[in-house]
Amino acid sequence: MTLNIRTVIKATGSAFALMIGVIIPLGYAVDDYLEASDHVNSEAGRSAAKVAQYVYKTGPLWAYTTLRLEDILADRPLAERDESRQQIIGLDGRTVYAEGGDVPRPALARRAPIHLDGETVAWVEARESVRPLLIETGIVALVSGVLGIGAFLLFRVLPLRVLDRTLARLDARERELRDQYVISECALNNMSQGLCMFDTDQRLITCNRRFADLYDLPDDLIKTGTPLSAILEHRVGIGSYSKSADTYFDERFDMVAQNKHRTDIVEQKDGRTIEILFDPLPGGGWVATHEDISERREAEARIVYLASHDSLTNLPNRVLFRQQLEAALGDIGTGTSFAVLSLDLDRFKEINDTLGHPIGDALLQEVAKRLMEQLRDGDLVARLGGDEFSVIQVELERPEAASDLAERLIGIIGAPYFIEGHQLVVGASVGVTIAPSDGIDGDQLMKNADMALYRAKSEGRGTFRFFEQEMDIRLQARRCLEQELRSALTNGEFELYYQPLFNIVANEICGFEALLRWHHPKRGMVPPDEFIPLAEETGLIVQIGDWVLRQACAEAAKWPLQITVAVNLSPVQFKSRGLVESVVGALATSQVSPHRLELEITESVLLQQGETTLTTLHKLRSLGVRIAMDDFGTGYSSLSYLRSFPFDKIKIDRSFVQHLSSERDSAAIVRAVTGLAHDLGMSSTAEGVESQETLDILRENGCTEIQGFLISPATPAHTVAELLARFGGGQSHKGMFRAQVRHRIA
Ligand code: C2E
Ligand code: CA
Ligand code: CA
């Protein structure tokens, strides 16, 4: 086709050019030549006829009548005569007569015979120059040639160039389209999704390989024009669809009829899950992508599982536990109740630390298995971390069911385990809370169960406790106090009060006991009984105790030299190393002589870590510090403790002292203790003496010192001087003290 157009253009272009450039001038030349030839012929003929007439008339002498011949031959226009010549040529070939000038070459010559009586007697030759003819033809040829070249350019070169350009453009466009086609083909067939396009008549426009593979479509079903129904029939036929064929058709056709974007998840009979994205096409029809999302689904499910389960035991983890808890709380409205049990293994850490983590892990797996076996359908056990488990027991008809379960769990966990050649025994403690009676908030319930667990653990382990409201109140108050206690030291909220120790033999104050006070910014003065146990539990007592030692010694440094200062020590301070350094530090900075410092300890100090505590006590005593046994009589085997360490003093607890006048037993005990103290070379102090009567009895029974409200309660440091002045004591420095008192009053 292209070739034809080219040939046609070439042929017509060339023909035009040829016609204009060659044929026209050629025609012109031929025509002129013929005309000229005719003209010369007829001239020759005409002149021959005239000469014949003359010859006929004149006879054989005609050839010698030149004038006459001139007339005859000259009988023609002057102009013609310039460019043409006529001559009469005899039979012998000689020119008889010639008329006209030299004819410029080239010329055209024609001869006509001169007849006389039927015989040729001479010839008339007419000769005419064809130079004008040639010049004219040349001009015409020149013009035609130019026009021919123009025609050649106009009808051949130009159209060919336009054609070439158009063809090149078409070619490029075609290549572009081909490239695009290849790309889209490639993209289409390399898509991970199956893709199909249908027209308004529900006939297939196109689909890719993946689409065919996805539904195992034979080649004749992926041809353009295949009706949707044929493809659907095939899919239902091969069983790739789990619902009935009708439902499937309805669904598909419904989708097509609605003609708007939508996503469908189709579960295949073979277990695959296909996601279909359906989109209408602008000009009618639709495009749909089909993606096998089975793997993605599985991965998602796996992630969900991993995110909600503990990898070691495969039990639900905290996340799933919380979800289930919220779900159970959601059911509360229907009148059901449930229990949350917090379970913690007793001494699991020891097993883990001594036998190694692999055995610890195996034990946890075994525990998880046993727990699972004890649960009913609907109940849930989760591992919240470490050796902490939690159970939701649903459909609780009565609280006893929860205690039954708790008991069962403790029992089953307590049975021996055989792991890698080891026989292991581990106990469990359980805290139980019941919803909705104990709370209807997930966090609250978990906290309740933990509190009950804490109680179970602190009350002997291997047992369970139910949550009680007061646990919560106490715990909250405690937490609050703990935080405040931490900042109390840095905020300078502590103060030491001093209570006199009165020697009833010398009748004067012999020392003071330093007693700690906390000025709480909101609650005012907090008594030590309320915060010392907490300080001990949190370990804060170590820092506080150090401060008390330094503060008490610093204060005592201002007192008369024979007045002692007594400081209470907590068992916790003995556990933490550094007590001796603390004491030495306090003495060194204050420059107080060690024998003026008395450290009061209770039996509980001796109860713990016998040897190290005794070593510390000996070290302290070797410094010259005196050691007193405080609250004597409140412990168990008091007397044996008295022998275990050479105490300098026994302080008889005020519970014996206060009932001295009414209870005979108390008097007997006091007497026995003072006697024993005396025998062992210790002094004895009676605490909590509030009346003169008590004092009298004590004096009768050989007690050496008293302490109590009868003399004075504990008061701020600045009152010491007044007390000494009032009750006597530190006589040798009385002058100095009185001066101090006066100075302060002034
Ligand atoms: P404690 O060592 O037995 O101290 C004596 C307690 O009895 C003091 O109570 C004191 O005020 C009180 N008391 C004194 N005379 C009488 C009396 O005649 N009648 C009555 N009913 N009570 C009397 P406080 O100051 O409340 O101290 C309570 C406990 O707090 C102390 O008992 C001591 O065990 C502890 N404590 C106080 N300060 C410290 C300290 O700095 N460190 C340590 N570790 N414990 C301290
Ligand atoms: Ca004391
Ligand atoms: Ca005491």
Side-chain angles (χ1 to χ4, degrees):
M1 173 74 184
T2 336
L3 192 79
N4 289 348
I5 293 175
R6 276 191 86 80
T7 325
V8 168
I9 289 174
K10 271 187 193 169
T12 41
S14 304
F16 263 126
L18 209 66
M19 205 168 74
I20 295 169
V22 179
I23 299 183
I24 289 178
L26 205 68
Y28 185 85
V30 169
D31 186 51
D32 267 14
Y33 176 82
L34 290 178
E35 200 180 317
S37 173
D38 270 3
H39 183 250
V40 177
N41 245 347
S42 64
E43 280 297 294
R46 203 158 37 98
S47 294
K50 274 190 210 165
V51 174
Q53 268 176 5
Y54 176 66
V55 169
Y56 183 72
K57 265 190 251 166
T58 319
L61 289 179
W62 66 274
Y64 303 101
T65 54
T66 333
L67 275 175
R68 192 59 200 132
L69 288 173
E70 190 187 340
D71 282 349
I72 295 167
L73 293 184
D75 187 21
R76 49 189 181 115
L78 261 173
E80 276 182 16
R81 260 180 280 163
D82 280 350
E83 284 163 10
S84 62
R85 172 190 170 97
Q86 290 188 358
Q87 54 188 5
I88 301 167
I89 299 164
L91 288 175
D92 53 358
R94 278 189 301 125
T95 303
V96 178
Y97 179 77
E99 197 282 336
D102 277 344
V103 175
R105 285 178 181 275
L108 202 64
R110 290 285 180 273
R111 284 184 186 180
I114 304 169
H115 294 290
L116 184 69
D117 298 331
E119 264 183 53
T120 304
V121 289
W123 303 85
V124 172
E125 184 189 81
R127 179 180 290 260
E128 206 177 288
S129 174
V130 287
R131 190 175 285 180
L133 178 81
L134 279 179
I135 290 169
E136 251 173 59
T137 309
I139 290 169
V140 168
L142 203 70
V143 171
S144 289
V146 170
L147 285 177
I149 291 169
F152 188 79
L153 291 174
L154 193 68
F155 296 111
R156 189 184 146 129
V157 177
L158 197 68
L160 276 180
R161 196 162 292 174
V162 170
L163 180 74
D164 281 348
R165 222 173 268 173
T166 312
L167 286 178
R169 222 173 282 153
L170 282 174
D171 221 39
R173 182 92 192 103
E174 193 189 320
R175 224 174 306 126
E176 216 171 84
L177 284 174
R178 203 179 315 122
D179 287 353
Q180 269 176 15
Y181 177 76
V182 169
I183 291 169
S184 44
E185 267 289 299
C186 184
L188 209 61
N189 283 321
N190 283 296
M191 275 172 76
S192 62
Q193 296 110 325
L195 180 136
C196 58
M197 274 171 149
F198 285 87
D199 61 16
T200 11
D201 299 327
Q202 301 179 358
R203 286 177 181 280
L204 187 66
I205 299 170
T206 186
C207 71
N208 64 358
R209 201 62 253 162
R210 182 84 184 110
F211 180 71
D213 292 346
L214 212 50
Y215 300 116
D216 227 353
L217 295 174
D219 283 350
D220 58 317
L221 280 184
I222 55 172
K223 278 189 201 138
T224 306
T226 309
L228 171 66
S229 55
I231 295 174
L232 293 185
E233 262 161 31
H234 171 83
R235 283 172 55 186
V236 172
I238 63 161
S240 83
Y241 187 63
S242 56
K243 293 184 192 168
S244 79
D246 285 345
T247 330
Y248 191 67
F249 281 133
D250 287 350
E251 273 181 21
R252 293 300 89 184
F253 285 119
D254 181 47
M255 187 162 107
V256 172
Q258 281 186 1
N259 201 37
K260 56 181 185 209
H261 173 85
R262 60 179 272 186
T263 306
D264 267 332
I265 306 284
V266 180
E267 301 288 345
Q268 305 273 119
K269 230 181 203 166
D270 56 16
R272 288 184 302 164
T273 309
I274 309 279
E275 186 186 60
I276 304 177
L277 292 179
F278 175 93
D279 269 301
L281 286 172
W286 72 94
V287 59
T289 54
H290 294 236
E291 189 179 5
D292 185 347
I293 55 164
S294 319
E295 272 177 31
R296 197 172 83 200
R297 274 269 183 110
E298 261 166 44
E300 279 167 5
R302 180 98 198 109
I303 289 166
V304 168
Y305 181 85
L306 287 178
S308 59
H309 286 77
D310 163 48
S311 56
L312 178 67
T313 59
N314 276 332
L315 289 182
N317 65 9
R318 189 179 289 272
V319 176
L320 186 54
F321 178 80
R322 280 308 304 251
Q323 281 173 5
Q324 292 293 106
L325 185 58
E326 295 305 328
L329 283 167
D331 291 342
I332 286 289
T334 58
T336 57
S337 68
F338 66 90
V340 175
L341 293 86
S342 262
L343 186 146
D344 192 299
L345 300 184
D346 298 330
R347 281 183 280 273
F348 170 75
K349 198 179 170 320
E350 283 167 30
I351 294 177
N352 219 19
D353 289 349
T354 50
L355 298 177
H357 289 262
I359 293 195
D361 285 353
L363 177 64
L364 287 173
Q365 288 170 330
E366 195 54 43
V367 167
K369 213 184 283 169
R370 291 187 187 182
L371 289 174
M372 288 283 286
E373 283 163 4
Q374 294 302 312
L375 301 188
R376 293 170 310 172
D377 277 355
D379 291 350
L380 175 109
V381 58
R383 179 175 172 227
L384 304 189
D387 60 343
E388 273 174 71
F389 296 86
S390 217
V391 175
I392 300 175
Q393 186 186 15
V394 292
E395 288 168 22
L396 200 70
E397 268 147 28
R398 35 187 198 94
E400 286 81 356
S403 54
D404 288 350
L405 177 63
E407 244 166 34
R408 265 206 329 273
L409 295 181
I410 292 167
I412 199 80
I413 289 174
Y417 299 81
F418 299 94
I419 294 168
E420 291 183 26
H422 299 275
Q423 180 180 348
L424 304 175
V425 177
V426 69
S429 305
V430 177
V432 187
T433 189
I434 301 212
S437 53
D438 290 340
I440 49 160
D441 172 76
D443 284 330
Q444 183 65 50
L445 287 170
M446 286 180 79
K447 219 169 76 189
N448 289 353
D450 282 347
M451 270 188 271
L453 173 66
Y454 178 75
R455 171 69 73 85
K457 274 189 161 311
S458 61
E459 289 181 7
R461 298 164 187 257
T463 178
F464 70 91
R465 288 285 179 272
F466 271 84
F467 166 77
E468 292 157 29
Q469 209 60 46
E470 43 81 44
M471 287 180 187
D472 189 29
I473 296 163
R474 259 207 324 236
L475 201 86
Q476 274 176 19
R478 216 184 94 104
R479 206 165 288 151
C480 179
L481 199 66
E482 189 185 317
Q483 263 162 20
E484 291 167 339
L485 198 55
R486 279 185 197 281
S487 46
L489 201 59
T490 43
N491 291 351
E493 288 164 18
F494 288 123
E495 189 189 353
L496 286 182
Y497 273 28
Y498 296 90
Q499 186 176 32
L501 292 155
F502 192 78
N503 189 312
I504 47 176
V505 182
N507 236 2
E508 60 176 12
I509 290 175
C510 57
F512 288 89
E513 180 179 358
L515 292 160
L516 188 58
R517 298 293 177 262
W518 179 12
H519 299 284
H520 188 283
K522 286 188 211 127
R523 292 164 57 193
M525 182 96 80
V526 182
D529 290 333
E530 269 184 45
F531 68 85
I532 297 261
L534 186 62
E536 286 179 332
E537 270 178 50
T538 53
L540 277 170
I541 193 69
V542 176
Q543 283 162 272
I544 298 174
D546 183 62
W547 179 84
V548 170
L549 272 166
R550 285 169 188 277
Q551 187 61 26
C553 288
E555 205 57 48
K558 303 176 194 163
W559 302 343
L561 286 175
Q562 62 270 51
I563 301 295
T564 60
V565 64
V567 170
N568 294 283
L569 290 185
S570 154
V572 179
Q573 286 172 277
F574 279 85
K575 273 193 206 164
S576 81
R577 287 165 220 146
L579 175 62
V580 178
E581 284 86 336
S582 178
V583 172
V584 171
L587 288 172
T589 358
S590 63
Q591 296 281 298
V592 165
S593 163
H595 72 263
R596 286 178 64 201
L597 178 62
E598 203 165 82
L599 298 175
E600 299 189 2
I601 63 162
T602 55
E603 282 171 359
S604 54
V605 170
L606 294 168
L607 269 169
Q608 68 186 13
Q609 303 164 358
E611 277 312 301
T612 40
T613 307
L614 279 180
T615 319
T616 311
L617 279 174
H618 280 292
K619 267 191 207 160
L620 288 171
R621 199 155 182 272
S622 66
L623 291 174
V625 171
R626 287 152 42 94
I627 311 289
M629 160 134 306
D630 203 357
D631 303 343
F632 186 77
T634 52
Y636 311 96
S637 44
S638 310
L639 291 174
S640 68
Y641 281 123
L642 272 186
R643 290 182 207 282
S644 65
F645 183 79
F647 288 97
D648 297 285
K649 178 190 270 186
I650 301 172
K651 293 186 81 175
I652 305 162
D653 193 71
R654 68 168 178 269
S655 55
F656 299 106
V657 178
Q658 273 167 348
H659 307 112
L660 219 50
S661 52
S662 52
E663 283 174 17
R664 286 167 142 245
D665 289 355
S666 296
I669 292 169
V670 169
R671 207 176 311 119
V673 175
T674 48
L676 184 72
H678 188 264
D679 290 348
L680 293 170
M682 307 173 189
S683 59
S684 53
T685 304
E687 293 184 299
V689 180
E690 292 178 358
S691 65
Q692 187 60 45
E693 196 187 353
T694 311
L695 174 60
D696 292 342
I697 299 169
L698 287 166
R699 196 175 263 143
E700 273 170 34
N701 286 287
C703 188
T704 47
E705 272 176 26
I706 62 154
Q707 184 182 356
F709 294 168
L710 181 64
I711 306 298
S712 165
T715 49
H718 66 81
T719 59
V720 164
E722 287 164 36
L723 287 166
L724 284 174
R726 184 141 55 102
F727 293 100
Q731 248 62 20
S732 53
H733 290 75
K734 225 171 228 169
M736 175 196 99
F737 244 101
R738 296 244 163 88
Q740 275 186 8
V741 174
R742 271 201 302 276
H743 171 73
R744 207 168 277 140
I745 292 164

